[in-house]
């Protein structure tokens, strides 16, 4: 079992839909990182959070430390949101552990 | 502002040949530097990270090595490439371990 599990693995949505991607981890963390990887391979950092909730535009990330769970939400999804979304845990042991990613396709 | 440069963008190498991928960061000092690999259809794997010149930590045993000869230069090397070294290699930097990382554009390495 991976230390960081993401679900779903693949997600297809219609433009405008509200999207949720989930990340569960089984290790102690100092911070959790959400990344976006575009089809060409480039990676962009979306959020890093250790508690509560962060919002940037149409993106919202939440984390529940007690439940060891984080979610990434996209409101009013758009085809340009199509990408692979990756959850990464900075563990208390000083390691970075990555989920396998969620491939999101938003259809017009 | 800070920028990260990684090259080349694509590379095709024969099995057994050497490798050198370079990554440089501008606009900051004493960054944490990282090398990642993403095999086809797989998630990101941290290969090496460095908190300072000459300080390299290896996350997984492998055929690759890393060096940091200057504060903002991080090099990924191999003496003899294996087929299993194929993949997408990404360099990243952050001000410290618990700050967001900023990624280079990646190098797509194919071993023939």
């Amino acid at each position: 079992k991976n230390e960081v599990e993401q679900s779903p693995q693949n997600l297809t949505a219609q433009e405008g839909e509200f999207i949720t991607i989930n990340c569960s981890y089984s290790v102690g963390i100092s911070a959790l990182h959400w990344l976006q990887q575009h089809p060409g391979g480039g990676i962009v950092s979306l959020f890093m959070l250790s508690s509560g909730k962060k919002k940037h535009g149409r993106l919202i990330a939440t984390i529940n430390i007690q439940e060891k769970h984080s979610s990434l939400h996209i409101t009013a999804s758009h085809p340009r949101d199509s990408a692979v979304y990756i959850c990464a845990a900075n563990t208390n042991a000083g390691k970075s552990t990555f989920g396998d990613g969620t491939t999101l396709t938003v259809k017009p | 502002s800070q920028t990260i440069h990684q090259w080349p963008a694509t590379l095709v190498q024969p099995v057994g040949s050497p490798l050198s991928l370079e990554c440089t960061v501008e606009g900051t000092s004493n960054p944490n530097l990282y090398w990642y690999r993403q095999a086809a259809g797989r998630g990101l794997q941290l290969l090496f990270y460095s908190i300072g010149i000459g300080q390299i930590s290896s996350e997984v045993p492998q055929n690759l090595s890393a060096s940091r000869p200057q504060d903002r230069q991080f090099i990924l090397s191999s003496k003899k490439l294996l087929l299993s070294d194929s993949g997408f290699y990404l360099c990243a930097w952050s001000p410290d371990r618990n700050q967001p990382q900023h990624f280079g554009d990646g190098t797509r390495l194919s071993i023939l």
Side-chain angles (χ1 to χ4, degrees):
Chain A
K1 192 180 189 303
N2 290 341
E3 291 177 323
V4 177
E5 298 265 353
Q6 280 185 243
S7 63
Q9 187 174 10
N10 295 285
L11 180 57
T12 300
Q14 287 297 130
E15 183 172 356
E17 285 185 357
F18 180 82
I19 287 163
T20 296
I21 299 170
N22 296 299
C23 175
S24 296
Y25 52 92
S26 57
V27 293
I29 67 165
S30 55
L32 190 116
H33 205 170
W34 280 102
L35 306 167
Q36 180 191 53
Q37 185 171 29
H38 290 282
I43 291 182
V44 174
S45 172
L46 298 176
F47 298 103
M48 180 166 264
L49 65 168
S50 55
S51 65
K53 176 180 174 178
K54 287 191 176 181
K55 184 176 189 293
H56 182 70
R58 295 180 294 106
L59 301 177
I60 303 166
T62 63
I63 189 167
N64 185 317
I65 298 296
Q66 287 73 29
E67 294 185 4
K68 294 189 173 180
H69 181 268
S70 177
S71 293
L72 177 69
H73 305 285
I74 304 175
T75 61
S77 60
H78 190 276
R80 64 174 174 265
D81 296 326
S82 298
V84 176
Y85 292 84
I86 302 168
C87 166
N90 282 10
T91 70
N92 290 332
K95 292 176 61 176
S96 295
T97 305
F98 291 80
D100 288 338
T102 295
T103 300
L104 171 65
T105 303
V106 181
K107 295 185 176 180
Chain B
S1 63
Q2 301 89 1
T3 55
I4 179 168
H5 303 281
Q6 188 183 340
W7 66 92
T10 59
L11 188 60
V12 180
Q13 292 283 97
V15 169
S17 64
L19 173 73
S20 180
L21 300 181
E22 187 163 345
C23 173
T24 59
V25 180
E26 295 177 1
T28 187
S29 59
N30 198 32
N32 280 14
L33 296 171
Y34 309 85
W35 276 112
Y36 294 92
R37 175 171 60 203
Q38 188 176 41
R42 304 284 297 277
L44 278 170
Q45 181 184 42
L46 179 64
L47 301 176
F48 300 97
Y49 73 90
S50 171
I51 61 171
I53 294 175
Q55 300 180 67
I56 310 292
S57 296
S58 174
E59 289 290 301
V60 294
Q62 59 201 298
N63 182 41
L64 302 167
S65 61
S67 62
R68 184 170 177 173
Q70 299 180 46
D71 181 44
R72 289 168 290 174
Q73 184 185 30
F74 205 21
I75 297 172
L76 184 68
S77 304
S78 173
K79 291 181 179 177
K80 275 187 169 184
L81 285 166
L82 306 172
L83 281 174
S84 57
D85 291 324
S86 292
F88 188 56
Y89 289 83
L90 285 149
C91 179
W93 78 273
S94 67
D96 64 58
R97 194 157 180 85
N98 286 316
Q99 297 277 345
Q101 294 178 25
H102 307 274
F103 288 80
D105 291 334
T107 296
R108 203 161 297 279
L109 175 64
S110 299
I111 310 300
L112 303 179

